[in-house]
Amino acid sequence: MTMRAVSRHTVRVVVVIGGIAIAIETYSQHFASRLRRRYAGFIAVRQAADFRFRVELVSSPRRLHGYSEGLEVVFRNALWHLRRGDFRAMWDMRRRQGWMQPTDVLHGLDAVLRIVHSLILAEEGGFLVHAASLIRNGKAWAFAGVSGTGKTTMARLAPLDTTLLSDEVTYIRRQTAADGTSGYLAYGNPFYGELRKSGVNTEAPLFQLCLLEQGKRHTLQAVERGEAVRALLRHVMCFSRDVALGNCLFDAVCAFVDQVPVTRLTFARDPGVWELMQ
Amino acid sequence: MSERYIARSSAIAARLLEGEMVIMSALDSTLFTLNATATAIWQAADGRTPLREIVHNAIHAQFSEVPGSALQDAETFVEALAQHGILLLSDQPITDATALGASQ
């Protein structure tokens, strides 16, 4: 049995993803150190936080006995209630703060951060989507697909002049300029897939979203609007069955498809596919 | 034969895209896409109008004749949607306003 030093003082670690700063507060120096390692590249030292999240570590998984293995995200009494076998959490969007009890600290926190960011983005017309994304020539390309369609492969095949944003989750925010015109930015983030490597903490205008399909040669074809919306809805990360949230995502995806070209990228597993992404 | 009534569930998010209704079930996030005739039936599912009348109006708007099997086909369709919880089906008019979701 080992003992770890626990500070009496709250330790704040500000994690900035997609330009949104969430201060994670804990009493455990050890946990704070693990946080800094896990989210290296996304830690801000002197930045005011947009949101606060308090983490109370649970010493024994038995403390969470009775919680189901499946994820539940429910909006009730003006609060989001999140729970899974390894954590329970609450999120108050209005007060911009939340609370969490994890057992497997980093795994649970990673899941909660994805959910919380998806809720924040939903209010401003953005979303998280199951897609790899990379920047080339100042433009972001996203490659959406279910597991096994080649998201990580596209990242592995990418030439040296690209910047990895993520091989698993594309973080999309709507941006409105002073003149009223709007566009979408894709942000690098620490949510990774098989590559097990965080993206670079940067962003670029999202130039195109490609629906991945493997084939014998490389082709890039336009997808008509209705099909694009339906396909994208299947890949958008929606953690809750809340109807209002579903309507938000529907509107966000429709608005996105009206501005960002959605294409079908058929590709063979060789680096030549990147010649289509100029 | 008794009349049947249909109403849109409130547990859905739906949008009309290029003439086809796309419905996302809040129960399991499943996506459904309805063709033009099914969309017309869905939009008319107000809980008060009998299914027979809805089918007649929806099909008559697109075709000169209403096939004899139309009502039977529609009943199969609405029963399938009801099983997924996105449409309510009853032998009585459905008056619960909370049952009615957005038509688009």
Side-chain angles (χ1 to χ4, degrees):
Chain A
M1 186 173 175
T2 59
M3 291 185 68
R4 293 191 179 116
V6 177
S7 164
R8 290 178 195 169
H9 305 291
T10 302
V11 185
R12 276 167 61 98
V13 178
V14 179
V15 180
V16 186
I17 303 171
I20 296 169
I22 299 182
I24 298 168
E25 300 176 352
T26 172
Y27 289 113
S28 167
Q29 290 281 2
H30 175 72
F31 175 53
S33 300
R34 290 185 67 192
L35 266 181
R36 291 188 188 100
R37 281 198 300 275
R38 167 64 184 90
Y39 298 109
F42 295 86
I43 303 292
V45 179
R46 290 187 186 84
Q47 181 168 340
D50 303 302
F51 297 89
R52 287 174 58 216
F53 210 87
R54 184 161 50 89
V55 177
E56 289 179 4
L57 303 179
V58 181
S59 56
S60 161
R62 280 185 300 228
R63 288 275 302 277
L64 294 180
H65 180 72
Y67 285 87
S68 62
E69 287 300 315
L71 175 66
E72 285 182 26
V73 181
V74 180
F75 188 68
R76 193 171 56 240
N77 299 330
L79 291 173
W80 285 99
H81 298 259
L82 292 58
R83 64 182 192 178
R84 202 173 68 179
D86 56 345
F87 66 77
R88 61 175 177 166
M90 281 194 288
W91 180 250
D92 186 337
M93 191 68 84
R94 191 171 51 84
R95 293 184 175 170
R96 305 170 79 83
Q97 62 185 26
W99 160 91
M100 174 190 187
Q101 263 191 343
T103 52
D104 179 347
V105 285
L106 286 185
H107 190 243
L109 182 63
D110 219 66
V112 169
L113 280 180
R114 291 182 194 213
I115 296 166
V116 163
H117 275 278
S118 74
L119 297 175
I120 295 168
L121 291 180
E123 291 209 333
E124 58 174 56
F127 46 85
L128 303 180
V129 58
H130 283 292
S133 47
L134 298 98
I135 299 173
R136 191 175 205 192
N137 298 328
K139 300 179 291 193
W141 293 75
F143 307 100
V146 295
S147 282
T149 48
K151 297 190 295 294
T152 301
T153 301
M154 283 301 294
R156 286 192 174 124
L157 294 174
L160 292 174
D161 65 352
T162 58
T163 303
L164 176 72
L165 297 178
S166 173
D167 73 322
E168 177 69 13
V169 176
T170 294
Y171 191 112
I172 297 172
R173 288 189 81 175
R174 192 174 192 172
Q175 186 192 43
T176 304
D179 63 0
T181 57
S182 65
Y184 290 86
L185 293 175
Y187 286 79
N189 63 75
F191 306 128
Y192 48 67
E194 289 173 32
L195 212 55
R196 300 197 64 77
K197 177 183 168 189
S198 291
V200 176
N201 191 357
T202 186
E203 76 278 349
L206 187 51
F207 181 69
Q208 200 166 118
L209 186 141
C210 308
L211 306 169
L212 288 177
E213 200 169 274
Q214 292 186 30
K216 292 181 177 172
R217 59 194 183 95
H218 311 308
T219 61
L220 197 58
Q221 293 173 311
V223 173
E224 58 91 13
R225 183 175 185 267
E227 187 188 346
V229 170
R230 287 192 295 272
L232 194 49
L233 279 171
R234 290 191 182 93
H235 297 308
V236 165
M237 298 172 79
C238 181
F239 298 97
S240 172
R241 295 171 180 173
D242 183 79
V243 174
L245 182 65
N247 277 306
C248 265
L249 286 176
F250 236 125
D251 289 337
V253 166
C254 290
F256 175 87
V257 166
D258 287 339
Q259 290 204 26
V260 179
V262 176
T263 55
R264 185 172 307 286
L265 173 63
T266 305
F267 75 108
R269 290 175 176 253
D270 70 70
V273 63
W274 273 94
E275 290 173 16
L276 296 176
M277 267 64 76
Q278 296 292 341
Chain B
M1 185 178 165
S2 64
E3 294 285 10
R4 304 187 87 180
Y5 298 85
I6 55 175
R8 299 180 296 275
S9 166
S10 59
I12 53 102
R15 294 292 182 278
L16 191 62
L17 300 171
E18 325 290 319
E20 294 183 335
M21 188 62 70
V22 179
I23 304 167
M24 184 163 60
S25 165
L27 297 177
D28 55 10
S29 298
T30 311
L31 275 184
F32 300 87
T33 303
L34 309 186
N35 64 21
T37 306
T39 295
I41 293 173
W42 165 266
Q43 288 177 313
D46 59 3
R48 300 185 305 272
T49 311
L51 178 60
R52 183 188 304 274
E53 192 178 325
I54 288 174
V55 171
H56 184 272
N57 293 342
I59 295 177
H60 204 63
Q62 295 181 56
F63 306 101
S64 55
E65 284 187 34
V66 179
S69 61
L71 182 60
Q72 194 178 344
D73 290 346
E75 285 186 338
T76 305
F77 156 71
V78 297
E79 280 167 10
L81 291 190
Q83 282 179 357
H84 287 285
I86 62 176
L87 202 62
L88 306 181
L89 185 58
S90 172
D91 292 336
Q92 302 292 324
I94 302 165
T95 54
D96 182 2
T98 61
L100 293 174
S103 63
Q104 68 175 65

